[in-house]
Amino acid sequence: MQISITVNGKAYSHDIEPRMSLVEYLREILNLTGTHIGCDTSGCGACTINIDGVAAKSCTLLAVQANGASITTIEGMAKGNELHPIQEAFKEHHGLQCGFCTPGMVMTAADILKNNPSPNEMEIRHGLEGNFCRCTGYHNIVKSIQHAAEKMNS
Amino acid sequence: MIPSKFDYIKVSSLNEAIELLDKHGYDAKILSGGHSLIPTMKLRLNSPELLIDISSVPELNSITLEGDEIVIGANCTHHAILSSEIVNAHINLLAQTAKCIGDIQVRNRGTIGGSLAHADPSADYPATVLACDATIVVQGKQGERSIVASEFFQGIFTTAIENDEIITSVRFPKVANGNYQKFYQSASRFAVVGVAVVKEENKVKVGITGVSDTPYRATAVENAYDGTATAASHAVDGIDVMSDHFADVNYRSHLAKVYVKKALEA
């Protein structure tokens, strides 16, 4: 089936099988491998992307469902060499250890801050309910998002 | 994990979807948010030959107040429901319930129609739909019909929806005093036990999910209610309580009583 998708501001068109998941499309067809596949059943959040303004798990979306949509992946967060404030905060505040969950964490953090620009610690922790860090590095992830919020509000 | 092969058609009207459902029967499935359906397809628990995507059918996306009823379109996401002014003003219980579902990402895509049609025995909405005496409106080849909540859920993943029918909306009465209490399965965030209580003067209506293979109205609790929470001890009277690797019969029964008590006291 023919689909047309805008990813990180760039228009793409491909003929794909309906059963191809969006994350597989992003990784295998567009070579945007920043979006990770973890559990593959909408539990872990590693595959979180933004579709038409909201965070979603791209393992549980078919690429055909995203036909006509505008998608932002982790690769679309930085502007050239300038990191997004959330990425910058993760770097500054050691918000990652192995880094596997990080793209999903950053994309979910962007959704949390869009709806609540000044979240408290509990609100951030609740917001991250759908993102697992197997290094258990949550403390610094939360700290990073708090710092990102401050920077984005200043 | 990759599903079996299937065809995909995105429809722009309800009639188109009903025609396709009628033609393809059990080989077709309705897709909206896909957050119940797609995981089952990836696990090959479900292998439809055709997916009919109704996410662009405009009349299924609204939340409106019609007289004394709040009408939720089947395609409304959990996020749309929990953030709706109408829902928060007239049936806060439903907003509380939607807030407990999954996580941000799941709430952004999953829909009330999909959740009810899937009828997972651990889903959250069934408890609230039952406690509110909500009505599920479906449409099929024979036209539209309304199914009362108490007749909708018929067993594990089984509902009163006929093969050619699609949920179009859910109609709730206004609820002034209600609350939802849930014991989460900590990884999946489904309900091990979920209890919705609606309080009306000296009466309560109690809906329970997660405890039995079919969500139920805890009539034993309702009949024994005396204004205190002691009636909670009747939470599983006459109920065939589920047992799984999260909670055995004894523990789940205990949780049901504790969460009914919490909901009655809230």
Side-chain angles (χ1 to χ4, degrees):
Chain A
M1 185 183 161
Q2 195 69 27
I3 60 164
S4 300
I5 300 185
T6 303
V7 181
N8 301 329
K10 200 170 160 192
Y12 296 92
S13 191
H14 287 99
D15 187 19
I16 56 154
E17 266 196 275
R19 63 176 169 169
M20 177 177 271
S21 67
L22 180 59
V23 69
E24 197 186 343
Y25 175 76
L26 294 170
R27 290 178 56 86
E28 305 296 333
I29 308 288
L30 303 189
N31 293 321
L32 295 171
T33 53
T35 304
H36 291 166
I37 301 174
C39 71
D40 210 10
T41 49
S42 72
C44 80
C47 66
T48 302
I49 51 94
N50 185 295
I51 175 164
D52 291 334
V54 300
K57 293 179 173 176
S58 58
C59 75
T60 306
L61 267 163
L62 302 168
V64 288
Q65 286 179 284
N67 187 18
S70 178
I71 288 167
T72 306
T73 68
I74 189 69
E75 289 92 344
M77 294 299 275
K79 287 192 182 116
N81 289 327
E82 190 191 331
L83 292 177
H84 186 281
I86 299 172
Q87 292 173 305
E88 189 65 44
F90 271 67
K91 183 181 159 197
E92 280 295 307
H93 300 281
H94 198 62
L96 61 149
Q97 291 180 44
C98 84
F100 190 87
C101 71
T102 314
M105 289 287 178
V106 170
M107 299 311 291
T108 304
D111 193 286
I112 295 171
L113 297 180
K114 187 193 77 185
N115 290 313
N116 181 0
S118 303
N120 62 33
E121 185 189 332
M122 279 319 289
E123 287 167 335
I124 295 173
R125 287 183 183 273
H126 278 300
L128 294 175
E129 277 159 351
N131 291 74
F132 299 164
C133 167
R134 294 209 69 181
C135 309
T136 69
Y138 296 103
H139 185 76
N140 283 352
I141 292 170
V142 172
K143 206 163 91 181
S144 301
I145 297 172
Q146 284 173 314
H147 281 277
E150 282 170 25
K151 200 166 176 188
M152 288 162 75
N153 290 333
S154 64
Chain B
M1 284 173 280
I2 299 168
S4 306
K5 284 193 175 186
F6 56 84
D7 291 323
Y8 168 93
I9 299 176
K10 188 167 194 171
V11 298
S12 49
S13 77
L14 203 52
N15 282 342
E16 200 183 339
I18 292 165
E19 287 291 334
L20 284 168
L21 256 190
D22 188 50
K23 188 173 156 200
H24 293 273
Y26 284 112
D27 293 333
K29 279 276 177 198
I30 295 292
L31 174 71
S32 179
H35 272 51
S36 297
L37 180 60
I38 294 174
T40 67
M41 288 172 61
K42 292 175 86 165
L43 295 164
R44 305 258 176 148
L45 299 169
N46 209 334
S47 301
E49 288 174 12
L50 172 67
L51 289 189
I52 305 165
D53 186 341
I54 58 166
S55 62
S56 293
V57 176
E59 65 263 37
L60 304 183
N61 284 314
S62 61
I63 296 177
T64 53
L65 191 59
E66 290 180 18
D68 280 339
E69 284 187 317
I70 299 97
V71 184
I72 314 281
N75 278 352
C76 289
T77 62
H78 315 317
H79 178 79
I81 290 168
L82 71 90
S83 53
S84 155
E85 280 180 26
I86 290 175
V87 172
N88 279 283
H90 299 290
I91 180 164
N92 178 264
L93 166 59
L94 182 61
Q96 285 178 44
T97 311
K99 251 175 227 171
C100 292
I101 298 171
D103 49 59
I104 285 179
Q105 298 97 311
V106 168
R107 291 192 292 268
N108 280 339
R109 296 288 306 179
T111 66
I112 189 169
S115 175
L116 292 175
H118 186 59
D120 190 300
S122 301
D124 295 287
Y125 285 130
T128 297
V129 164
L130 282 166
C132 295
D133 284 321
T135 307
I136 293 96
V137 183
V138 299
Q139 199 167 321
K141 281 293 267 187
Q142 310 300 322
E144 189 179 274
R145 72 185 175 109
S146 295
I147 308 170
V148 293
S150 57
E151 290 170 9
F152 184 79
F153 303 103
Q154 299 192 335
I156 189 161
F157 302 113
T158 310
T159 69
I161 307 173
E162 294 293 338
N163 203 29
D164 64 332
E165 290 177 328
I166 299 172
I167 299 179
T168 54
S169 66
V170 189
R171 304 179 78 94
F172 290 87
K174 289 181 182 176
V175 172
N177 189 354
N179 77 99
Y180 184 68
Q181 302 289 330
K182 171 178 179 179
F183 184 83
Y184 289 87
Q185 199 285 321
S186 53
S188 74
R189 303 187 56 73
F190 269 96
V192 177
V193 168
V195 178
V197 162
V198 173
K199 290 186 184 174
E200 291 169 347
E201 294 172 21
N202 302 321
K203 286 193 315 180
V204 286
K205 297 192 287 186
V206 183
I208 299 184
T209 189
V211 173
S212 178
D213 63 4
T214 312
Y216 62 97
R217 272 286 284 273
T219 46
V221 174
E222 296 176 7
N223 293 335
Y225 182 66
D226 60 0
T228 72
T230 54
S233 63
H234 298 285
V236 295
D237 285 8
I239 298 299
D240 191 7
V241 177
M242 281 198 294
S243 177
D244 59 24
H245 51 296
F246 302 130
D248 66 10
V249 172
N250 286 339
Y251 182 47
R252 199 176 233 107
S253 302
H254 170 73
L255 284 174
K257 291 171 193 172
V258 170
Y259 278 76
V260 169
K261 183 166 183 275
K262 280 168 80 109
L264 290 175
E265 286 174 343

